[in-house]
Amino acid sequence: MSIRIGIYGYGNLGRGVESAIRQNPDLELCAVFTRRAPETLKIKTEGVPVYHVDKAPELVNDIDVMILCGGSATDLPVQTPALVKYFNVVDSFDTHARIPEHFANVDESAKESGKVGIISCGWDPGMFSLNRLYASAILPQGKDYTFWGKGVSQGHSDAIRRIEGVLDAKQYTIPVDSALEAVRSGTNPELSTREKHIRECFVVAEEGADKARIENEIKTMPNYFADYDTTVHFITLEELKRDHGGIPHGGFVIRSGKTGFDSENSHIIEYSLKLDSNPEFTASVIVAYARAAYRLNKEGASGCKTVFDIAPAYLSMSTPEELRAKLL
Amino acid sequence: MSIRIGIYGYGNLGRGVESAIRQNPDLELCAVFTRRAPETLKIKTEGVPVYHVDKAPELVNDIDVMILCGGSATDLPVQTPALVKYFNVVDSFDTHARIPEHFANVDESAKESGKVGIISCGWDPGMFSLNRLYASAILPQGKDYTFWGKGVSQGHSDAIRRIEGVLDAKQYTIPVDSALEAVRSGTNPELSTREKHIRECFVVAEEGADKARIENEIKTMPNYFADYDTTVHFITLEELKRDHGGIPHGGFVIRSGKTGFDSENSHIIEYSLKLDSNPEFTASVIVAYARAAYRLNKEGASGCKTVFDIAPAYLSMSTPEELRAKLL
């Protein structure tokens, strides 16, 4: 019998989950939930019903795991604790500073309902976090570095779009090659924000807009750009659509550490991702953890979990015997 | 209270475990066991007793986790099932083809004794296995590749040393750059053994030995060298000691996969290690899993486990709260 999945929120991430489910024959998409009028939503999977979010609690017996595809700012802090009262859930909550608070809220609800809630799934938080943990546990005498990119930062692109005179924009975060090489060399450099990443912006300005002012507003924007070397390119809307339509991303987690009685040996552990589609990859991670949520709950577990709490074998379609024979 | 560790077998790996324990303040080395006459063994940690292996069962109440540092060919298949009758144990059994059989033997003994036995810890099997599992669970429509090196292969170096006229030798396994690049490009190439790795040998010949014959015997040796492009360099014993004294190793696990309704997006997940000392890094992995063995057993778990069965948080000195706040 398949694991019955619901998708709660149907934007880029929800569509990514829908396509990821097709690659996992033990999972079945059972329903999509939206805040829009359900009849206006056209999904890609034939025969799967679309419901208004208010109807979710009525489907408590029809869905094994609800995948929450809302945003971290306002949706998930409310939705995840609310939905885990009815379902096992997985979310991709990514506001790092608020994870302890979100964990506590989800944990309380999930323990009451006897369900499993896995939070902060994706690649950062998610696979990058896992790699920071494994590498620091193995090489306690060391230092880790996370680099992001090359990829599109949605938040930074949005910030540019809010500037007066800007029609549209795409912002790429790019790790600095020389910083990556310094880390890989094992010298454990101290790197400032500016030394680790550069920001490249492709901006479509309104006709007659003051481009010098726009460029200056971008480069001096606190938190977003002021601490970085930022380059701004003005392009046409056609160029933006043609050359910058994708949502690629990726990055690197590198730990450099020492071993030996005199710390005489150096080791580099590096994990990297190069992703054509950030939301589809995030969705693929979430879907693997949806399998884990189902299995853990079947075994009697409840409460909030993160990628740190889940044994890797729970993610795989293969049996433990197959995993030991083929992948170990 | 510290977790009390025993080291069973004191070669390169045992010494690596001894030095790794010093980096983990929650672990304490309590005893070293050897098949040699104990009084002939000089270890690096003052005040820690050295016992003959026969004495191990008498220390059942003094050691929380016994780390087995013997070889996979003949030691571990016997030692791990025998020792797990008394202690939680961790080994680095690395004969991939015999893992299912070893697992079954250890599992039976461990379930009888109520202890935890973690087998096949290290980097391959070990961290590489984990990365194969995570990556294949996330990107089911894909292909994974493991490359080893650049590093010293002990087995291949030994095989050369057995050739008549050879005094000493060191063999390096080196991944082929163009193969790595082809994999990273996402084209999912089919690669033959010869296309993935080359083998470079540094050989010290006896005076007057027939070097042409030795080189030919190496290059045509079945299983070890015949399927590879192999280069042989004859050097002096002094050069071997000066330039090839280390035991570096490393490698790459790369998964290339597709997502999207039409498989239109490509993703590359890459994990790599660059290690100055193969045994010290392996020991560092083992020591983190010794912590996990202790904690799992405290929680009531017993039986044989592998890296696939152990939630990452068990490996870390930090508390779950600290991990969520700092690494997630």
Side-chain angles (χ1 to χ4, degrees), chain B:
Chain B
M1 215 187 67
S2 314
I3 302 172
R4 300 166 303 170
I5 305 288
I7 294 175
Y8 196 92
Y10 194 73
N12 280 335
L13 185 61
R15 281 189 295 275
V17 169
E18 184 182 14
S19 83
I21 288 171
R22 298 189 183 191
Q23 298 189 342
N24 291 275
D26 60 333
L27 308 183
E28 184 192 352
L29 179 61
C30 285
V32 171
F33 297 87
T34 179
R35 282 181 292 210
R36 294 174 258 177
E39 63 277 11
T40 65
L41 194 66
K42 174 100 190 85
I43 69 167
K44 296 251 193 181
T45 311
E46 293 224 3
V48 169
V50 177
Y51 298 114
H52 190 266
V53 288
D54 291 345
K55 212 176 149 64
E58 296 172 35
L59 281 95
V60 63
N61 293 318
D62 302 303
I63 289 170
D64 296 313
V65 185
M66 187 74 95
I67 295 179
L68 306 187
C69 299
S72 296
T74 56
D75 297 334
L76 298 175
V78 178
Q79 292 172 356
T80 313
L83 272 297
V84 82
K85 290 179 179 160
Y86 305 97
F87 306 100
N88 299 307
V89 302
V90 184
D91 81 18
S92 60
F93 185 78
D94 67 357
T95 311
H96 292 263
R98 296 187 61 194
I99 286 175
E101 173 193 344
H102 188 55
F103 183 93
N105 293 337
V106 176
D107 197 47
E108 193 188 338
S109 279
K111 281 188 174 143
E112 264 179 51
S113 66
K115 301 289 182 185
V116 167
I118 303 179
I119 63 163
S120 302
C121 267
W123 59 274
D124 198 356
M127 298 314 295
F128 273 19
S129 323
L130 273 182
N131 277 280
R132 288 187 287 259
L133 192 166
Y134 277 119
S136 64
I138 294 169
L139 295 175
Q141 188 183 315
K143 191 165 158 62
D144 58 44
Y145 297 84
T146 301
F147 292 86
W148 297 275
K150 182 181 177 176
V152 173
S153 169
Q154 210 54 52
H156 286 74
S157 301
D158 289 344
I160 299 173
R161 287 189 202 106
R162 286 191 293 264
I163 293 174
E164 197 191 320
V166 171
L167 273 180
D168 203 350
K170 228 30 179 315
Q171 192 271 170
Y172 295 90
T173 303
I174 305 170
V176 175
D177 277 337
S178 59
L180 273 170
E181 287 313 315
V183 169
R184 289 184 184 127
S185 76
T187 55
N188 285 4
E190 290 294 334
L191 296 168
S192 68
T193 299
R194 190 178 299 274
E195 286 167 324
K196 285 182 73 186
H197 296 95
I198 57 177
R199 297 197 179 276
E200 189 169 25
C201 313
F202 294 86
V203 181
V204 182
E206 285 171 12
E207 217 181 297
D210 180 350
K211 292 180 178 173
R213 175 191 53 80
I214 291 172
E215 179 166 344
N216 185 58
E217 281 193 37
I218 294 171
K219 289 184 169 176
T220 58
M221 196 185 296
N223 303 319
Y224 285 85
F225 294 100
D227 297 335
Y228 297 86
D229 289 334
T230 301
T231 55
V232 176
H233 309 278
F234 288 96
I235 60 176
T236 66
L237 194 57
E238 291 66 41
E239 287 168 328
L240 190 83
K241 286 181 174 163
R242 187 191 66 205
D243 303 333
H244 305 282
I247 320 175
H249 220 313
F252 305 81
V253 173
I254 305 175
R255 188 166 183 95
S256 153
K258 303 278 188 186
T259 65
F261 290 102
D262 300 308
S263 303
E264 67 273 29
N265 288 313
S266 292
H267 306 277
I268 303 287
I269 304 173
E270 177 167 341
Y271 180 80
S272 70
L273 296 173
K274 201 173 140 224
L275 313 175
D276 272 0
S277 164
N278 185 354
E280 286 182 8
F281 187 81
T282 300
S284 298
V285 176
I286 290 175
V287 159
Y289 278 96
R291 176 180 294 122
Y294 172 79
R295 291 175 172 176
L296 284 163
N297 189 243
K298 274 271 168 201
E299 290 179 5
S302 68
C304 190
K305 313 272 176 197
T306 76
V307 294
F308 294 161
D309 307 312
I310 296 172
Y314 285 104
L315 306 184
S316 175
M317 268 184 275
S318 302
T319 65
E321 291 75 19
E322 287 169 340
L323 292 175
R324 285 194 292 272
K326 287 181 197 163
L327 294 182
L328 195 63

Side-chain angles (χ1 to χ4, degrees), chain A residues 143 145 178-179 181-192 256:
Chain A
K143 190 166 158 60
Y145 297 84
S178 59
E181 286 314 314
V183 168
R184 288 184 184 127
S185 76
T187 55
N188 285 4
E190 289 294 333
L191 295 168
S192 67
S256 153

Side-chain angles (χ1 to χ4, degrees), chain A residues 129 259 266 270 272 280 308 328, chain B residues 129 259 270 272 276 280 313 328:
Chain A
S129 323
T259 65
S266 292
E270 177 167 341
S272 70
E280 286 181 9
F308 294 161
L328 197 62
Chain B
S129 323
T259 65
E270 177 167 341
S272 70
D276 272 0
E280 286 182 8
L328 195 63

